[in-house]
Amino acid sequence: MTELDSLPLFAKLSHAQRAAIAGVSRVETYAQETRLFDEGGLADQCWVVVSGCVVVDALAPGRGRVGVQSIGPG
């Protein structure tokens, strides 16, 4: 059993498929307000939120960073 087995996002995958993804993934914990990546940066990772909330923001001219979406578990 992998940590992915309990996530609805992966429910339709076989155990072998979830195990393959788990084999190349890792569990990470971030402090509040941690920036994971910047707009326009290299997209070289993928995240699945297991707990907590992530805010996606964008640079808005004259306003700075503006939250455009929040993402929770799954």
Coordinates of all heavy atoms in Angstrom, one line a residue:
M1 N 0.8 -1.2 0.0 CA 0.0 0.0 0.0 C 0.9 1.2 0.0 O 1.9 1.3 0.7 CB -0.9 0.0 1.2 CG -1.8 1.1 1.3 SD -3.2 0.7 2.4 CE -4.2 2.2 2.3
T2 N 0.5 2.3 -0.8 CA 1.2 3.5 -0.8 C 0.4 4.6 -0.3 O -0.8 4.5 -0.1 CB 1.6 3.9 -2.3 OG1 0.5 4.3 -3.0 CG2 2.3 2.7 -3.0
E3 N 1.0 5.8 0.0 CA 0.2 6.9 0.5 C -0.8 7.4 -0.6 O -1.8 8.0 -0.3 CB 1.1 8.1 0.8 CG 1.9 7.8 2.0 CD 2.5 9.0 2.7 OE1 1.7 10.1 2.7 OE2 3.6 9.0 3.2
L4 N -0.6 7.1 -1.8 CA -1.4 7.5 -2.9 C -2.7 6.7 -2.9 O -3.7 7.1 -3.5 CB -0.7 7.3 -4.3 CG 0.6 8.1 -4.4 CD1 1.2 7.8 -5.8 CD2 0.4 9.6 -4.2
D5 N -2.7 5.5 -2.3 CA -3.9 4.6 -2.3 C -5.1 5.3 -1.7 O -6.3 5.0 -2.1 CB -3.6 3.3 -1.6 CG -2.7 2.4 -2.3 OD1 -2.5 2.5 -3.6 OD2 -2.0 1.6 -1.7
S6 N -5.0 6.2 -0.8 CA -6.1 6.8 -0.1 C -6.6 8.1 -0.8 O -7.5 8.7 -0.4 CB -5.8 7.1 1.3 OG -4.7 8.0 1.4
L7 N -5.9 8.6 -1.9 CA -6.2 9.8 -2.5 C -7.2 9.6 -3.7 O -6.9 8.9 -4.6 CB -5.0 10.5 -3.0 CG -4.0 10.9 -1.9 CD1 -2.7 11.5 -2.6 CD2 -4.6 11.9 -0.9
P8 N -8.4 10.3 -3.6 CA -9.3 10.1 -4.7 C -8.8 10.4 -6.1 O -9.2 9.8 -7.1 CB -10.4 11.1 -4.4 CG -10.3 11.3 -2.9 CD -8.9 11.2 -2.6
L9 N -7.8 11.3 -6.2 CA -7.2 11.7 -7.5 C -6.6 10.4 -8.2 O -6.6 10.3 -9.4 CB -6.1 12.7 -7.3 CG -5.2 13.1 -8.5 CD1 -6.1 13.9 -9.5 CD2 -4.1 14.0 -8.0
F10 N -6.2 9.5 -7.4 CA -5.5 8.3 -8.0 C -6.4 7.0 -7.9 O -5.9 5.9 -8.2 CB -4.2 8.0 -7.2 CG -3.2 9.1 -7.4 CD1 -3.0 10.0 -6.4 CD2 -2.5 9.3 -8.6 CE1 -2.1 11.1 -6.5 CE2 -1.6 10.4 -8.7 CZ -1.4 11.3 -7.7
A11 N -7.7 7.2 -7.5 CA -8.5 6.0 -7.3 C -8.7 5.1 -8.5 O -8.9 3.9 -8.3 CB -9.9 6.5 -6.8
K12 N -8.7 5.7 -9.7 CA -8.9 4.8 -10.9 C -7.7 4.2 -11.4 O -7.7 3.4 -12.4 CB -9.6 5.6 -12.0 CG -11.0 6.0 -11.6 CD -11.8 6.7 -12.7 CE -13.2 7.0 -12.2 NZ -14.0 7.5 -13.3
L13 N -6.6 4.5 -10.8 CA -5.3 3.8 -11.2 C -5.2 2.5 -10.5 O -5.7 2.3 -9.4 CB -4.1 4.7 -10.9 CG -4.0 6.1 -11.5 CD1 -2.8 6.8 -11.0 CD2 -4.0 5.9 -13.0
S14 N -4.5 1.6 -11.1 CA -4.3 0.3 -10.5 C -3.2 0.4 -9.4 O -2.5 1.4 -9.3 CB -3.7 -0.7 -11.5 OG -2.4 -0.4 -11.9
H15 N -3.2 -0.6 -8.5 CA -2.2 -0.5 -7.4 C -0.8 -0.4 -8.1 O 0.1 0.4 -7.6 CB -2.3 -1.7 -6.5 CG -1.2 -1.8 -5.5 ND1 -1.2 -0.9 -4.4 CD2 -0.1 -2.5 -5.4 CE1 -0.1 -1.1 -3.7 NE2 0.6 -2.1 -4.3
A16 N -0.5 -1.1 -9.1 CA 0.8 -1.1 -9.8 C 1.1 0.3 -10.3 O 2.2 0.8 -10.2 CB 0.9 -2.1 -10.9
Q17 N 0.1 1.0 -10.9 CA 0.3 2.3 -11.4 C 0.6 3.3 -10.2 O 1.5 4.2 -10.3 CB -0.9 2.8 -12.2 CG -1.1 2.1 -13.5 CD -2.4 2.3 -14.2 OE1 -3.4 2.4 -13.5 NE2 -2.4 2.5 -15.5
R18 N -0.2 3.2 -9.1 CA 0.1 4.0 -8.0 C 1.4 3.8 -7.4 O 2.1 4.7 -7.0 CB -1.0 3.9 -6.9 CG -2.4 4.5 -7.4 CD -3.4 4.5 -6.2 NE -3.6 3.2 -5.6 CZ -4.6 2.3 -6.1 NH1 -5.4 2.6 -7.1 NH2 -4.8 1.2 -5.5
A19 N 1.8 2.5 -7.3 CA 3.2 2.2 -6.8 C 4.3 2.8 -7.7 O 5.3 3.2 -7.2 CB 3.3 0.7 -6.7
A20 N 4.1 2.8 -9.0 CA 5.1 3.4 -9.9 C 5.2 4.9 -9.6 O 6.3 5.4 -9.6 CB 4.7 3.1 -11.4
I21 N 4.1 5.5 -9.4 CA 4.1 7.0 -9.1 C 4.8 7.2 -7.8 O 5.6 8.1 -7.6 CB 2.7 7.6 -9.2 CG1 2.2 7.6 -10.6 CG2 2.7 9.0 -8.7 CD1 0.7 7.9 -10.8
A22 N 4.4 6.4 -6.8 CA 5.0 6.5 -5.5 C 6.5 6.3 -5.5 O 7.2 6.9 -4.7 CB 4.3 5.6 -4.5
G23 N 6.9 5.5 -6.4 CA 8.4 5.2 -6.5 C 9.2 6.4 -6.9 O 10.4 6.4 -6.7
V24 N 8.6 7.3 -7.6 CA 9.3 8.5 -8.1 C 8.9 9.8 -7.4 O 9.2 10.9 -7.8 CB 9.2 8.6 -9.6 CG1 9.9 7.5 -10.3 CG2 7.8 8.8 -10.1
S25 N 8.1 9.6 -6.3 CA 7.6 10.8 -5.6 C 8.1 10.8 -4.2 O 8.8 9.9 -3.7 CB 6.1 10.8 -5.6 OG 5.6 9.7 -4.9
R26 N 7.9 11.9 -3.5 CA 8.3 12.0 -2.1 C 7.3 12.9 -1.3 O 6.6 13.8 -1.9 CB 9.7 12.5 -1.9 CG 9.8 13.9 -2.5 CD 11.3 14.4 -2.4 NE 11.5 15.7 -2.9 CZ 11.9 16.0 -4.2 NH1 12.2 15.0 -5.0 NH2 12.0 17.2 -4.5
V27 N 7.2 12.7 -0.1 CA 6.3 13.5 0.8 C 7.1 14.6 1.3 O 8.2 14.4 1.8 CB 5.7 12.7 2.0 CG1 4.9 13.6 2.9 CG2 4.9 11.5 1.5
E28 N 6.6 15.8 1.2 CA 7.3 17.0 1.6 C 6.4 17.9 2.5 O 5.2 17.9 2.2 CB 7.8 17.9 0.5 CG 8.9 17.1 -0.4 CD 9.4 18.0 -1.5 OE1 8.8 19.0 -1.8 OE2 10.5 17.6 -2.0
T29 N 6.9 18.6 3.5 CA 6.2 19.5 4.3 C 6.8 20.9 4.1 O 8.0 21.0 4.2 CB 6.2 19.0 5.8 OG1 5.7 17.7 5.8 CG2 5.4 19.9 6.6
Y30 N 5.9 21.9 4.0 CA 6.4 23.2 3.8 C 5.9 24.1 4.9 O 4.7 24.0 5.3 CB 6.0 23.8 2.4 CG 6.5 23.0 1.3 CD1 5.8 22.0 0.7 CD2 7.8 23.3 0.8 CE1 6.3 21.3 -0.4 CE2 8.3 22.6 -0.3 CZ 7.6 21.6 -0.9 OH 8.1 20.9 -1.9
A31 N 6.7 25.1 5.3 CA 6.2 26.1 6.2 C 5.2 27.0 5.5 O 5.2 27.2 4.3 CB 7.4 26.9 6.8
Q32 N 4.3 27.6 6.3 CA 3.3 28.5 5.8 C 4.1 29.7 5.1 O 5.2 30.1 5.5 CB 2.5 29.1 7.0 CG 1.2 29.5 6.6 CD 0.3 29.9 7.8 OE1 0.6 29.4 8.9 NE2 -0.7 30.6 7.6
E33 N 3.5 30.1 4.0 CA 4.1 31.2 3.2 C 5.3 30.8 2.3 O 5.9 31.7 1.7 CB 4.5 32.4 4.1 CG 3.4 33.0 4.9 CD 2.3 33.7 4.2 OE1 2.5 34.3 3.2 OE2 1.1 33.6 4.6
T34 N 5.6 29.5 2.2 CA 6.7 29.1 1.4 C 6.3 29.2 -0.1 O 5.2 28.8 -0.5 CB 7.0 27.6 1.7 OG1 7.5 27.5 3.1 CG2 8.1 27.1 0.8
R35 N 7.1 29.8 -0.9 CA 6.9 29.9 -2.3 C 7.5 28.6 -3.0 O 8.7 28.4 -2.9 CB 7.5 31.1 -2.9 CG 7.4 31.3 -4.4 CD 7.6 32.7 -4.9 NE 6.5 33.6 -4.4 CZ 5.3 33.7 -4.9 NH1 5.0 32.9 -6.0 NH2 4.4 34.5 -4.4
L36 N 6.7 27.9 -3.7 CA 7.1 26.7 -4.3 C 7.8 26.9 -5.7 O 8.7 26.3 -6.1 CB 6.0 25.7 -4.5 CG 5.3 25.2 -3.2 CD1 4.2 24.2 -3.5 CD2 6.4 24.6 -2.3
F37 N 7.2 27.9 -6.4 CA 7.8 28.2 -7.7 C 7.2 29.6 -8.1 O 6.2 30.1 -7.6 CB 7.5 27.2 -8.8 CG 6.1 26.9 -9.1 CD1 5.4 27.6 -10.0 CD2 5.4 26.0 -8.4 CE1 4.0 27.4 -10.3 CE2 4.0 25.7 -8.6 CZ 3.4 26.4 -9.6
D38 N 7.9 30.2 -9.1 CA 7.5 31.5 -9.6 C 6.9 31.4 -11.0 O 7.3 30.6 -11.8 CB 8.7 32.5 -9.6 CG 9.1 32.9 -8.2 OD1 8.2 33.4 -7.5 OD2 10.2 32.8 -7.9
E39 N 6.0 32.3 -11.3 CA 5.4 32.4 -12.6 C 6.5 32.6 -13.6 O 7.4 33.4 -13.4 CB 4.5 33.7 -12.6 CG 3.7 33.9 -13.9 CD 2.8 35.1 -13.8 OE1 2.7 35.8 -12.7 OE2 2.1 35.4 -14.8
G40 N 6.4 31.8 -14.7 CA 7.4 31.9 -15.7 C 8.6 31.0 -15.5 O 9.5 30.9 -16.3
G41 N 8.7 30.4 -14.3 CA 9.8 29.5 -14.0 C 9.7 28.2 -14.7 O 8.7 27.8 -15.3
L42 N 10.7 27.4 -14.5 CA 10.8 26.0 -15.1 C 9.8 25.1 -14.4 O 9.8 25.0 -13.2 CB 12.2 25.5 -15.0 CG 12.4 24.1 -15.5 CD1 12.2 24.0 -17.0 CD2 13.8 23.6 -15.2
A43 N 8.9 24.5 -15.1 CA 7.9 23.5 -14.5 C 8.5 22.2 -14.6 O 8.4 21.4 -15.5 CB 6.6 23.6 -15.3
D44 N 9.3 21.8 -13.5 CA 10.0 20.6 -13.5 C 9.5 19.6 -12.4 O 10.2 18.6 -12.1 CB 11.5 20.8 -13.4 CG 11.9 21.5 -12.1 OD1 11.0 21.9 -11.3 OD2 13.1 21.5 -11.8
Q45 N 8.4 20.0 -11.7 CA 7.9 19.1 -10.6 C 6.3 19.2 -10.7 O 5.8 20.1 -11.4 CB 8.3 19.7 -9.3 CG 9.8 19.5 -9.0 CD 10.1 20.0 -7.6 OE1 9.6 19.5 -6.7 NE2 11.0 20.9 -7.5
C46 N 5.7 18.3 -10.0 CA 4.3 18.2 -9.9 C 4.0 18.0 -8.4 O 4.7 17.2 -7.7 CB 3.7 17.1 -10.7 SG 2.0 16.9 -10.6
W47 N 3.0 18.7 -7.9 CA 2.6 18.5 -6.5 C 1.2 18.0 -6.3 O 0.3 18.4 -7.1 CB 2.7 19.8 -5.7 CG 4.1 20.3 -5.5 CD1 4.9 20.1 -4.4 CD2 4.8 21.2 -6.3 NE1 6.1 20.8 -4.5 CE2 6.1 21.4 -5.7 CE3 4.6 21.8 -7.6 CZ2 7.1 22.2 -6.3 CZ3 5.6 22.6 -8.1 CH2 6.8 22.8 -7.5
V48 N 1.0 17.2 -5.3 CA -0.4 16.8 -4.9 C -0.5 17.2 -3.5 O 0.3 16.9 -2.6 CB -0.6 15.3 -5.0 CG1 -1.9 14.9 -4.5 CG2 -0.4 14.8 -6.5
V49 N -1.5 18.1 -3.2 CA -1.8 18.6 -1.9 C -2.5 17.5 -1.1 O -3.6 17.1 -1.4 CB -2.6 19.9 -1.9 CG1 -2.8 20.4 -0.5 CG2 -1.9 20.9 -2.7
V50 N -1.9 17.0 0.0 CA -2.4 16.0 0.9 C -3.2 16.6 2.0 O -4.2 16.2 2.5 CB -1.4 15.0 1.3 CG1 -1.9 14.0 2.3 CG2 -0.7 14.3 0.1
S51 N -2.6 17.7 2.5 CA -3.3 18.5 3.6 C -2.9 19.9 3.5 O -1.9 20.2 2.9 CB -2.9 17.9 5.0 OG -1.6 18.1 5.3
G52 N -3.7 20.8 4.1 CA -3.4 22.2 4.0 C -4.0 22.8 2.8 O -4.9 22.3 2.1
C53 N -3.4 24.0 2.4 CA -3.9 24.7 1.3 C -2.8 25.4 0.6 O -1.8 25.9 1.2 CB -4.9 25.8 1.8 SG -5.6 26.8 0.5
V54 N -2.8 25.5 -0.7 CA -1.8 26.2 -1.5 C -2.5 27.3 -2.3 O -3.6 27.1 -2.8 CB -1.2 25.2 -2.5 CG1 -0.2 26.0 -3.5 CG2 -0.4 24.1 -1.8
V55 N -2.0 28.5 -2.3 CA -2.5 29.6 -3.1 C -1.7 29.8 -4.4 O -0.5 29.9 -4.3 CB -2.6 30.9 -2.3 CG1 -3.0 32.0 -3.1 CG2 -3.4 30.7 -1.1
V56 N -2.4 29.8 -5.5 CA -1.8 30.1 -6.8 C -1.9 31.6 -7.0 O -3.1 32.1 -6.9 CB -2.4 29.3 -7.9 CG1 -1.8 29.7 -9.3 CG2 -2.3 27.8 -7.7
D57 N -0.8 32.3 -7.3 CA -0.9 33.7 -7.5 C -0.3 34.1 -8.8 O 0.3 33.3 -9.5 CB -0.3 34.5 -6.4 CG 1.2 34.3 -6.2 OD1 1.9 33.8 -7.2 OD2 1.7 34.6 -5.1
A58 N -0.6 35.3 -9.2 CA 0.0 35.8 -10.5 C 0.3 37.3 -10.3 O -0.2 37.9 -9.4 CB -1.1 35.7 -11.6
L59 N 1.3 37.7 -11.0 CA 1.7 39.2 -11.0 C 0.7 40.0 -11.7 O 0.4 39.7 -12.9 CB 3.1 39.4 -11.5 CG 4.2 38.8 -10.7 CD1 5.5 38.9 -11.4 CD2 4.3 39.6 -9.4
A60 N 0.1 41.0 -11.1 CA -0.9 41.9 -11.7 C -0.2 43.3 -11.8 O 0.2 43.8 -10.7 CB -2.2 41.9 -10.9
P61 N -0.2 43.8 -13.0 CA 0.4 45.2 -13.1 C -0.2 46.2 -12.1 O -1.4 46.3 -12.0 CB 0.1 45.6 -14.5 CG 0.0 44.2 -15.2 CD -0.7 43.3 -14.2
G62 N 0.7 46.8 -11.4 CA 0.2 47.8 -10.4 C -0.3 47.3 -9.1 O -0.7 48.0 -8.2
R63 N -0.5 46.0 -9.0 CA -1.0 45.4 -7.8 C -0.1 44.3 -7.1 O -0.4 43.9 -6.0 CB -2.4 44.7 -8.1 CG -3.4 45.7 -8.6 CD -4.7 45.0 -8.9 NE -5.3 44.3 -7.8 CZ -6.2 43.4 -7.9 NH1 -6.7 43.1 -9.0 NH2 -6.7 42.8 -6.8
G64 N 0.9 43.9 -7.8 CA 1.8 42.9 -7.3 C 1.2 41.5 -7.4 O 0.5 41.3 -8.3
R65 N 1.5 40.7 -6.5 CA 1.0 39.3 -6.5 C -0.4 39.3 -6.0 O -0.7 39.8 -5.0 CB 1.9 38.4 -5.6 CG 3.3 38.3 -6.1 CD 4.0 37.2 -5.4 NE 5.4 37.1 -5.9 CZ 5.8 36.5 -7.0 NH1 4.9 36.0 -7.8 NH2 7.0 36.5 -7.4
V66 N -1.3 38.6 -6.8 CA -2.7 38.5 -6.5 C -3.1 37.0 -6.5 O -2.8 36.3 -7.5 CB -3.5 39.3 -7.6 CG1 -5.0 39.1 -7.3 CG2 -3.2 40.7 -7.6
G67 N -3.7 36.5 -5.5 CA -4.1 35.2 -5.4 C -5.2 34.9 -6.4 O -6.2 35.7 -6.5
V68 N -5.1 33.9 -7.2 CA -6.1 33.6 -8.3 C -6.9 32.3 -8.0 O -7.9 32.1 -8.6 CB -5.5 33.6 -9.7 CG1 -5.0 35.0 -10.1 CG2 -4.4 32.6 -9.8
Q69 N -6.3 31.4 -7.2 CA -7.0 30.2 -6.9 C -6.3 29.6 -5.6 O -5.1 29.8 -5.4 CB -6.8 29.2 -8.0 CG -7.5 27.9 -7.9 CD -7.3 27.0 -9.1 OE1 -6.5 27.2 -10.0 NE2 -8.1 25.9 -9.1
S70 N -7.1 28.9 -4.8 CA -6.6 28.2 -3.7 C -6.9 26.7 -3.9 O -7.9 26.4 -4.5 CB -7.1 28.6 -2.4 OG -8.5 28.5 -2.3
I71 N -6.0 25.9 -3.6 CA -6.0 24.4 -3.8 C -5.9 23.7 -2.5 O -4.9 23.9 -1.8 CB -5.0 24.0 -4.8 CG1 -5.1 24.7 -6.1 CG2 -5.0 22.5 -5.0 CD1 -3.9 24.6 -7.1
G72 N -6.8 22.8 -2.2 CA -6.8 22.0 -1.0 C -6.4 20.5 -1.3 O -6.0 20.2 -2.4
P73 N -6.6 19.7 -0.3 CA -6.2 18.3 -0.5 C -6.8 17.6 -1.7 O -8.0 17.8 -2.1 CB -6.7 17.6 0.8 CG -6.7 18.7 1.8 CD -7.1 19.9 1.0
G74 N -6.0 16.8 -2.4 CA -6.4 16.0 -3.5 C -6.2 16.7 -4.8 O -6.4 16.2 -5.9

